[in-house]
Each structure stands twice: as C-alpha cells, then as structure tokens.
Amino acid sequence: MSKVTLPLIKNKKGREKISMVTCYDASFAKLIEKSGIDSVLVGDSLGMVIKGENNTLGVNISEIEYHVKAVKKGSQTPFLIADMPFGSYQISNEKGLRNAVRLMKAGAEAVKVEGGAEVAKLISKLTSFGIPVVGHVGLTPQYVNKFGGFGKRGKTQEERDYILESAKIVEKAGAEMIVLEGIPEKLAQEITSILKIPTIGIGAGKMTDGQVLVLYDLLGMDENFNPSFLKKQCNLDEIVTDALKKYREEVTG
Ligand code: KIV
C-alpha cells in the first residue's frame, strides 16, 4: 500500500469517502495498517477509553506524544493526526506552536484543535510553519463543562449558525480538514457543501466527506456504550471476556 498523504486525502472530497479511526497503540495500529483505512487519529478520547476518565480534559501533551510514537511504530501508511489536548494550546499561540512541534517530531502529520474563532490565529500560525491543522466543531468534548455534557449540538438555529460560522472561520484560517461531531445531518451536509476542505463526521449523519469513530467503540469494547450513531462492527466486549474466561478455566482446571 502506498503512503496516504494530505493532498491524497484532500483530493478525495466529492470523489471518494474518507475513512478515519482513532488509535492509541502499536498493536492496533498494525491491524489498521492492514485494513487500508485512510487516516488514524491519536485522539484525546484516550483519556476516556485508555485512562478510564469521565472526559478528555485530564489528557496532557506528553501522553499524546507517547501514544503518537506507539501508533507510528505500528503503522506508517495511514495519514496520522494527533489531537492537541486541553491546555496545550488555549494559554497562548506560542505554547500551542511549541506543543504542535512536539507532536510532529513524535511522528504526527497533522494536529487537531477544537473550536472556531478562538483558534483561528493559532491555525494560521501552525499552517504557516508547515504544520497541517484539522479543525473540530459541533460537539467539542473539551467544552464539556460549558455544554453540560456530551449531548448533540446544533439544536437551535442560533447554535446551528454558530457552528456553520465556526467551520467557515476554521477553513479560512487555513485548516486542511474539519471534524464535525454531534450535529444534525442537514447542518453537516450544508457545511460539507460550502467548505472546500474535507469534512469528517462523527454522529453527524452520512453526508460528510468521511467518517471517524473511536476504535474501541466501533469494535464494541463497551457493551454499555450504544449511542444511536454507532454501528459496532464486532462485539469485542463479549469476545475478549469469553477468551479470558476460557483461559482462566484452562489454567485453574
Ligand atoms: O478524541 C477523539 O477521539 C476525537 C474523535 C472522536 C473525533 O476527537
């Protein structure tokens, strides 16, 4: 398989759908490499699925850096995006640049930041130094305390206008792609048709240029996590528990 580059992904808009999945370690990265998936995101969702926390806010730059290095060892073909965790870019654009450089040196090929107008200058700064940026609007998990949870965004016209405006600002600032999370399909479709950059949806319907899911969610790792947008491709919860039980029985007799 030949290397998936940013121009190659961007060229898929309007032609072919883009596949993206999160990953945090070398072993799963090896399997993703074999699957032909276009892009891998070392997401700050690792705070929840790896560290067992209730949200993503506790993740720091060293943790993302560590997981980027692991994923890079396992797979080189998919385009590798690293999340900028909470606190790594909000304090100043200089700090954001320093932290983005750390992730690029660790092996990332782009970084992802959440927000609209508030990250526009940062996006311009990073892109001016050759660091591709992926935007993220709608249900932005780093704003969980402001939103009061992980519920869908864009329920009111005011919210929908704000999300659309944010997406336009992020593109204008120089973002190369944008994640649309937890918004109505119609809004995601509108943003996808207006923007020139690819839109990657999660819980945003089918009309985006691509889809992303948290790896453990799509593999059915947690039987109690069943949001309406999630199609589990297998039931790892059951498969792994059964295997472990079988092993225990074999060992203990
Ligand atoms: O952190 C993450 O995994 C993400 C995706 C859900 C888009 O931001």
Side-chain angles (χ1 to χ4, degrees):
M1 262 180 289
S2 53
K3 172 69 190 156
V4 180
T5 60
L6 182 59
L8 207 140
I9 290 196
K10 290 182 77 177
N11 198 36
K12 286 187 184 234
K13 187 174 172 98
R15 295 185 173 88
E16 251 181 89
K17 293 276 183 179
I18 300 157
S19 54
M20 187 186 291
V21 68
T22 70
C23 186
Y24 319 98
D25 66 81
S27 300
F28 271 118
K30 277 185 200 159
L31 304 183
I32 293 169
E33 174 81 22
K34 289 199 280 182
S35 75
I37 283 176
D38 295 312
S39 181
V40 167
L41 167 67
V42 179
D44 60 0
S45 50
L46 72 85
M48 299 168 86
V49 298
I50 302 287
K51 295 172 70 185
E53 293 171 353
N54 290 331
N55 58 50
T56 62
L57 301 184
V59 177
N60 63 46
I61 193 75
S62 305
E63 289 167 335
I64 297 279
E65 192 178 31
Y66 170 92
H67 287 277
V68 166
K69 285 181 184 167
V71 170
K72 192 76 183 180
K73 288 234 172 73
S75 86
Q76 288 83 39
T77 303
F79 185 70
L80 204 170
I81 303 164
D83 246 341
M84 296 281 285
F86 184 65
S88 72
Y89 61 97
Q90 286 85 351
I91 291 156
S92 69
N93 289 345
E94 283 65 32
K95 188 168 177 191
L97 174 59
R98 204 174 305 125
N99 284 324
V101 167
R102 274 180 72 172
L103 298 183
M104 299 299 282
K105 283 183 186 289
E109 292 159 323
V111 298
K112 178 164 80 59
V113 296
E114 296 182 8
E118 67 275 30
V119 287
K121 285 207 173 101
L122 173 68
I123 293 173
S124 301
K125 196 176 188 71
L126 297 182
T127 54
S128 75
F129 288 115
I131 301 173
V133 179
V134 178
H136 185 160
V137 299
L139 168 54
T140 42
Q142 292 177 15
Y143 292 71
V144 61
N145 289 307
K146 182 177 173 186
F147 296 157
F150 294 106
K152 281 221 168 223
R153 308 304 300 167
K155 285 187 177 153
T156 62
Q157 189 57 49
E158 195 187 349
E159 245 177 53
R160 287 193 286 279
D161 291 346
Y162 178 76
I163 293 165
L164 173 59
E165 204 45 44
S166 298
K168 286 184 190 167
I169 291 170
V170 163
E171 175 176 69
K172 197 160 174 239
E176 308 279 1
M177 259 189 274
I178 188 166
V179 170
L180 307 178
E181 179 167 0
I183 61 171
E185 181 168 86
K186 222 168 146 236
L187 175 60
Q189 182 174 18
E190 191 184 353
I191 295 172
T192 300
S193 71
I194 291 173
L195 299 196
K196 290 190 177 64
I197 57 173
T199 60
I200 310 293
I202 172 165
K206 290 190 179 135
M207 305 309 288
T208 49
D209 297 310
Q211 295 287 332
V212 60
L213 277 177
V214 170
L215 177 68
Y216 291 1
D217 296 347
L218 90 88
L219 296 178
M221 192 78 147
D222 180 355
E223 63 179 353
N224 298 316
F225 187 66
N226 296 296
S228 57
F229 66 84
L230 176 62
K231 182 177 175 202
K232 293 181 180 179
Q233 300 293 347
C234 65
N235 193 348
L236 220 55
D237 182 311
E238 202 179 301
I239 295 167
V240 174
T241 308
D242 286 351
L244 292 171
K245 276 185 189 161
K246 226 173 126 213
Y247 168 68
R248 176 181 57 78
E249 282 160 13
E250 282 172 13
V251 169
T252 58

